[in-house]
Amino acid sequence: MLKLSRLLFASLLMAGSAQALAEDTLRVAADLSYPPFQLRDSSGQPGGFEIDITKAVCKAINAKCEFIVSSFDAEVPSLLARKVDFISPLGVTDKRRKSIDFSDFIYHIPTKLVARKGSGLLPTVESLRGKQIAVQQGSIQEMYANQYWSPKGINVMHYADADAIYQDLAAGRLDGALSPGVAVTFGFLSKPEGKDFALVGPEVHDDKLFSIGSAYGVRKGDTALQKRLNDGLAKIIADGTWQKIKEHYFGDLEMKVATQEPANAAH
């Protein structure tokens, strides 16, 4: 009888350990069509700046990352449907704050217009009226273009992923694209097909629509996971891991968020 009790206790202990292990696997929504932030590496595995940062954060909090690949505009619905535990870094906007919460800020990149060199185009209504300008579905650039450009005669073209935008730019099917400046620089302009294009005009900014930085998206009320991610992020910033990863992808480009305000602060 004593032996049976010990066996039962051991079985329960193993079951509890297995459950704890399962709970320590975090499912992360990822869109791998967004180099150099998110991509598939030479072996077909998730890679890129955001993926490496996220792996470092998960390691810092003793969790295992499982990347769940989907299109960018499906990430928030997947989070709300509990198909994932959190979302890879995305811009913190007032609109998104209405449906999800965020971790602390991870980095910032400006929004820019990319167009063919010598086109004379600028990110203004007067310059772009009648032109075909691409945006990625679900992005803050799409929100901006839909609100300020579409009603004023600019033909805003909606794409599921950045690669398709780059292909149509190179093929001459688009006049330009409104994109995160770093992503288009390293994902398109630095490649042979992007040699005839450049970032034109000033940074496109709107205090209501655009974020001052990107952060992990979590379900509203999931303060436990939010705190874990913040703790992990703080650790990799303090020990130099964040800086090392950033320099690997972007050199000395400044990507820290200027404000000390937390991404989840009420607006």
Side-chain angles (χ1 to χ4, degrees):
M1 186 68 179
L2 182 59
K3 184 177 181 180
L4 182 61
S5 297
R6 286 176 177 172
L7 286 172
L8 179 60
F9 176 76
S11 298
L12 290 172
L13 186 62
M14 290 175 64
S17 298
Q19 178 65 23
L21 182 62
E23 290 175 351
D24 217 26
T25 297
L26 297 175
R27 301 164 300 166
V28 191
D31 170 17
L32 303 184
S33 63
Y34 192 44
F37 292 90
Q38 299 182 48
L39 51 86
R40 289 192 185 277
D41 63 21
S42 57
S43 62
Q45 298 302 306
F49 172 69
E50 292 180 348
I51 300 297
D52 288 356
I53 288 289
T54 302
K55 287 179 179 178
V57 167
C58 287
K59 182 178 179 180
I61 59 175
N62 298 315
K64 177 184 176 183
C65 288
E66 179 186 356
F67 293 99
I68 308 299
V69 181
S70 69
S71 63
F72 181 78
D73 57 349
E75 291 181 339
V76 171
S78 293
L79 179 69
L80 298 180
R82 298 183 176 274
K83 295 179 180 179
V84 297
D85 298 303
F86 68 97
I87 303 174
S88 297
L90 71 166
V92 180
T93 65
D94 287 343
K95 181 178 179 180
R96 288 175 180 153
R97 279 193 180 102
K98 292 178 181 178
S99 57
I100 64 175
D101 284 340
F102 290 92
S103 70
D104 290 340
F105 288 116
I106 301 167
Y107 68 89
H108 167 71
I109 51 175
T111 288
K112 300 278 288 186
L113 178 70
V114 59
R116 193 172 292 274
K117 294 175 181 177
S119 66
L121 295 181
L122 293 171
T124 65
V125 170
E126 294 75 20
S127 179
L128 300 179
R129 186 174 286 117
K131 304 297 184 182
Q132 307 277 98
I133 304 299
V135 292
Q136 186 171 351
Q137 292 172 359
S139 68
I140 56 178
Q141 290 77 27
E142 181 186 47
M143 287 186 252
Y144 181 91
N146 284 345
Q147 180 165 333
Y148 295 113
W149 287 359
S150 285
K152 297 184 179 180
I154 298 172
N155 300 316
V156 177
M157 314 299 291
H158 307 266
Y159 284 75
D161 60 73
D163 284 342
I165 293 177
Y166 302 154
Q167 289 170 10
D168 278 4
L169 277 171
R173 289 187 284 268
L174 292 167
D175 296 296
L178 190 62
S179 305
V182 175
V184 74
T185 295
F186 289 87
F188 179 59
L189 299 181
S190 62
K191 297 181 178 180
E193 56 267 32
K195 64 182 176 60
D196 295 326
F197 294 82
L199 299 178
V200 297
E203 176 180 352
V204 177
H205 183 71
D206 182 82
D207 290 339
K208 292 184 178 180
L209 291 181
F210 283 13
S211 65
I212 60 172
S214 294
Y216 294 120
V218 299
R219 280 185 292 275
K220 278 194 170 294
D222 194 352
T223 55
L225 179 55
Q226 185 183 59
K227 183 180 184 305
R228 287 188 76 191
L229 294 174
N230 288 344
D231 288 346
L233 181 60
K235 286 179 182 178
I236 70 167
I237 290 175
D239 68 14
T241 301
W242 184 96
Q243 184 69 17
K244 183 178 179 180
I245 295 172
K246 192 277 296 182
E247 289 179 354
H248 172 74
Y249 285 95
F250 305 114
D252 60 0
L253 183 69
E254 182 56 65
M255 295 178 66
K256 290 183 178 178
V257 176
T259 180
Q260 297 301 312
E261 171 196 342
N264 56 5
H267 276 223

